[in-house]
Amino acid sequence: MTTHKKYSDYLPQNLPLAKRFFIFIDSSICSVRLRVKINQKVLRGQPLIFGDIFNVPVHAPTSGWIEDISIYSNSFNQNKKNIKIIILSDHLDKWIRLKPIKNYKRYTSEQLIKIIYQSGIVGLGGGQFSSSKKLMLSMNKVHTLIVNAVESEPYITADNCLINNYIHEILKGCKIISWIANIKIVLIAIQEDKIETISKIYSFIKNEPLFKVCILKKKYPGGSSKILIKSLTGQEIPHEKHAVDIGYLIFNVATIYAIKRSIIDGEPLTERIVTVLGDENFLSGNFWTRIGTPVKHFLTNYKNKIYLNIIVYFGGLFMGKRIYDLNLSILKNTNCVWIQLKKKENNKTIEYSCIRCGYCSFVCPVNLLPQQLYWYSKNTDHKKTKKYDILDCIECKACEKVCPSHIPLVKYFKIEKNIIKNIELNDIRKKISYLRFTKREKRLLNYKVITHENNIKSTNILKIQDNKTNDIKRNIRKAKVQAAIARMKSKK
Ligand code: SF4
Ligand code: SF4
């Protein structure tokens, strides 16, 4: 592998626009409400779905037409259902009308959080957690903002490229977040090997007491929020709690940059920097890439058009996930596309039994017991894997790399985590269905009560009306009799 560190020093290149964009929207938890239909014309930044508590809005990455809308099974997790929207570009790349804000301090925190939500911003470092939700949860709870500029994976330089070239905007984003969450100190966490970036940051913050730079030792995996908090403060995030619960708000640099663009420039999230890693046959470097750009676009535009003989990963050397469908596209949290030529797989590693050497536990950065997790995952003992905190595993593969028995531990953990998450998802779905059912029952009951009351009212009205007509009839009869008597008397 050639060295890719140099790419982060240069401005990211603009990837030519693809002809078609593939937007995937997770609809596994609750149904997604679409805002577009097939053949509709869309502009860049136009929302494609209505947001809800589970999904932030997703926007068109360019102008064009909605070519197709269909259901797609997630290749990483077959149980997850995605909605796939295909946009055919018109090559004009026309924006919707943007609403930039000159002075964000004139807006309340709630108003700014709403803009961030409507701009579809999620954690771009990998988490994909809604940034607006994170900010809502942090209100009146946090005292420090941690800027995560630590890139765990050795060859990914997307964040470093962003800081090198857009530091001014990132600092502005930090100030916006500090204003929203009433933060008094901003810690910029960066690893010691980024010497040029560190000196650049210092030159920008020299007269700004809000900012402080924290230089961390180069260590894998340094960028996970649990490890970051521990390295910076010595504190551990308690199990099933988050950094905000102990007073720290953590945002990745790319997310902070996206927040700045949403507030100051009024731009919804439609692009991000992606590190593309390839050998000399493929394109390499950092690229401004639209969300929804299909992977095959990286291959067709450049040197080598024959891509049957390649392997593609989303992510880096340690945590990368292999993808098999080249129509899969850049998601909001995709920071790296890694393209490799297929090699002859003649030296397949054999998986042996666990010898309980304990090496895996020594290296686990979040203090788990991988051998126990492996044992219980293999035996599908979901209660035990949960008890041993499998959900805290950050899938860094450190345990797997040191295992003398060559056990693909993370493969077992991923399967087990998916099963547990699906069980939890089913519970959430059941709760939502039960809530809907009880609401419907209440509505029907109310409707019945109202119609019953209306019926009683209308019968009463009818009765009153009947009585009134009877009275009138009786009075008419009476008047007729009296008139007859009066006539008789007058004749006499
Ligand atoms: S390193 Fe491998 S063999 Fe050793 S205890 Fe862990 S899983 Fe078992
Ligand atoms: S992948 Fe292994 S080493 Fe990494 S967090 Fe999970 S159990 Fe620990």
Side-chain angles (χ1 to χ4, degrees):
M1 164 98 44
T2 53
T3 175
H4 299 280
K5 287 290 165 194
K6 63 180 186 309
Y7 298 131
S8 59
D9 299 341
Y10 306 121
L11 264 175
Q13 303 166 57
N14 281 316
L15 191 74
L17 281 186
K19 200 173 167 193
R20 282 186 176 77
F21 290 85
F22 298 80
I23 309 291
F24 295 93
I25 300 158
D26 182 7
S27 63
S28 54
I29 302 180
C30 79
S31 54
V32 167
R33 285 193 303 142
L34 291 166
R35 290 180 80 154
V36 286
K37 48 184 189 284
I38 296 175
N39 291 332
Q40 186 178 328
K41 180 110 184 59
V42 287
L43 295 174
R44 181 177 176 191
Q46 187 171 329
L48 303 173
I49 60 162
F50 287 97
D52 52 43
I53 49 165
F54 298 108
N55 287 307
V56 293
V58 178
H59 303 83
T62 188
S63 56
W65 293 269
I66 304 290
E67 194 178 55
D68 190 29
I69 300 173
S70 56
I71 300 286
Y72 182 86
S73 248
N74 190 323
S75 71
F76 297 138
N77 178 1
Q78 293 298 327
N79 296 319
K80 262 196 174 180
K81 288 275 178 285
N82 280 330
I83 288 178
K84 179 168 131 185
I85 301 177
I86 304 178
I87 298 174
L88 181 64
S89 166
D90 61 5
H91 301 287
L92 298 173
D93 202 26
K94 216 173 154 201
W95 272 105
I96 47 160
R97 198 159 63 85
L98 303 177
K99 294 176 193 156
I101 290 175
K102 272 190 188 152
N103 185 2
Y104 62 87
K105 290 190 179 172
R106 284 198 184 155
Y107 290 74
T108 62
S109 300
E110 286 75 17
Q111 285 170 323
L112 294 174
I113 290 175
K114 198 173 170 197
I115 297 170
I116 292 168
Y117 168 75
Q118 283 166 344
S119 303
I121 296 171
V122 293
L124 303 187
Q128 285 231 71
F129 188 74
S130 159
S131 301
S132 49
K133 211 188 241 179
K134 202 178 199 180
L135 282 165
M136 284 297 279
L137 292 172
S138 66
M139 299 277 274
N140 305 320
K141 259 178 142 181
V142 295
H143 45 74
T144 306
L145 167 66
I146 297 176
V147 179
N148 186 355
V150 176
E151 272 171 321
S152 301
E153 290 275 359
Y155 296 108
I156 302 178
T157 54
D159 286 352
N160 197 37
C161 175
L162 198 62
I163 313 174
N164 262 326
N165 297 294
Y166 302 91
I167 179 72
H168 182 66
E169 269 117 319
I170 292 165
L171 297 181
K172 187 120 199 170
C174 293
K175 286 179 187 167
I176 296 170
I177 295 168
S178 306
W179 168 259
I180 294 172
N182 196 20
I183 280 167
K184 299 282 177 279
I185 183 155
V186 178
L187 304 179
I188 304 173
I190 189 159
Q191 286 187 328
E192 60 190 352
D193 60 328
K194 310 282 185 332
I195 299 160
E196 280 176 31
T197 316
I198 293 169
S199 57
K200 202 172 233 178
I201 296 172
Y202 272 122
S203 68
F204 271 84
I205 61 163
K206 52 181 179 223
N207 298 321
E208 306 253 20
L210 178 70
F211 297 99
K212 211 177 149 199
V213 179
C214 298
I215 301 165
L216 301 175
K217 276 210 157 67
K218 178 99 188 121
K219 197 177 162 191
Y220 177 82
S224 148
S225 55
K226 286 178 188 178
I227 295 159
L228 200 57
I229 291 268
K230 203 173 173 197
S231 318
L232 288 172
T233 68
Q235 281 178 271
E236 279 197 15
I237 303 175
H239 177 58
E240 291 190 345
K241 294 269 179 213
H242 300 281
V244 289
D245 298 316
I246 56 168
Y248 296 95
L249 178 60
I250 306 181
F251 275 116
N252 163 273
V253 279
T255 316
I256 296 173
Y257 178 76
I259 289 175
K260 182 263 161 189
R261 267 173 78 165
S262 83
I263 302 290
I264 305 295
D265 309 292
E267 287 181 16
L269 179 63
T270 58
E271 65 179 349
R272 63 158 301 142
I273 295 184
V274 175
T275 302
V276 182
L277 300 175
D279 63 11
E280 62 279 3
N281 295 306
F282 302 106
L283 114 132
S284 286
N286 285 308
F287 293 86
W288 274 118
T289 310
R290 299 288 166 89
I291 312 293
T293 304
V295 173
K296 67 178 177 194
H297 183 64
F298 290 95
L299 311 166
T300 49
N301 264 298
Y302 289 91
K303 295 172 195 168
N304 198 336
K305 292 194 176 177
I306 304 157
Y307 47 81
L308 292 170
N309 203 23
I310 55 157
I311 303 171
V312 180
Y313 295 89
F314 272 175
L317 185 67
F318 287 93
M319 295 197 211
K321 287 173 184 166
R322 185 170 173 182
I323 61 160
Y324 295 91
D325 180 357
L326 295 182
N327 276 327
L328 276 178
S329 61
I330 299 300
L331 305 170
K332 288 181 180 177
N333 67 343
T334 313
N335 57 357
C336 177
V337 175
W338 187 16
I339 307 155
Q340 273 187 329
L341 273 175
K342 256 185 210 163
K343 287 177 197 149
K344 277 184 188 160
E345 293 174 21
N346 50 1
N347 51 347
K348 269 193 174 176
T349 45
I350 301 164
E351 178 184 335
Y352 296 100
S353 310
C354 172
I355 51 166
R356 299 222 156 236
C357 63
Y359 292 163
C360 50
S361 328
F362 286 129
V363 294
C364 179
V366 285
N367 300 329
L368 299 178
L369 294 171
Q371 77 272 33
Q372 298 296 106
L373 292 176
Y374 160 65
W375 180 253
Y376 294 128
S377 300
K378 216 176 162 187
N379 293 312
T380 58
D381 191 339
H382 309 312
K383 271 189 188 163
K384 279 275 168 53
T385 50
K386 243 187 129 179
K387 195 178 158 206
Y388 279 84
D389 304 327
I390 195 165
L391 293 177
D392 285 346
C393 167
I394 56 169
E395 296 175 17
C396 65
K397 291 192 182 168
C399 52
E400 200 175 297
K401 299 280 173 204
V402 297
C403 176
S405 298
H406 305 296
I407 303 170
L409 293 162
V410 175
K411 190 180 95 186
Y412 289 101
F413 300 163
K414 276 184 187 168
I415 295 169
E416 180 62 14
K417 277 167 85 174
N418 275 336
I419 294 171
I420 293 177
K421 278 180 188 163
N422 280 331
I423 294 170
E424 287 176 355
L425 255 180
N426 279 338
D427 288 346
I428 294 173
R429 276 201 207 108
K430 274 181 202 162
K431 274 182 196 160
I432 293 173
S433 312
Y434 181 71
L435 255 173
R436 279 200 193 127
F437 172 75
T438 45
K439 272 187 183 170
R440 184 177 175 272
E441 288 292 295
K442 216 174 162 184
R443 228 176 24 244
L444 285 178
L445 194 70
N446 281 345
Y447 177 72
K448 273 182 191 167
V449 171
I450 291 166
T451 17
H452 182 64
E453 279 171 1
N454 284 346
N455 283 344
I456 291 171
K457 266 186 203 163
S458 49
T459 36
N460 284 346
I461 290 167
L462 279 177
K463 266 184 195 169
I464 293 165
Q465 279 174 349
D466 278 354
N467 289 343
K468 275 184 184 169
T469 38
N470 286 342
D471 284 350
I472 293 165
K473 277 179 188 172
R474 214 175 296 128
N475 288 342
I476 292 169
R477 258 203 316 274
K478 222 175 180 179
K480 274 182 184 173
V481 173
Q482 278 170 353
I485 293 168
R487 269 200 310 276
M488 290 277 287
K489 278 182 182 170
S490 65
K491 274 181 189 173
K492 277 177 189 174

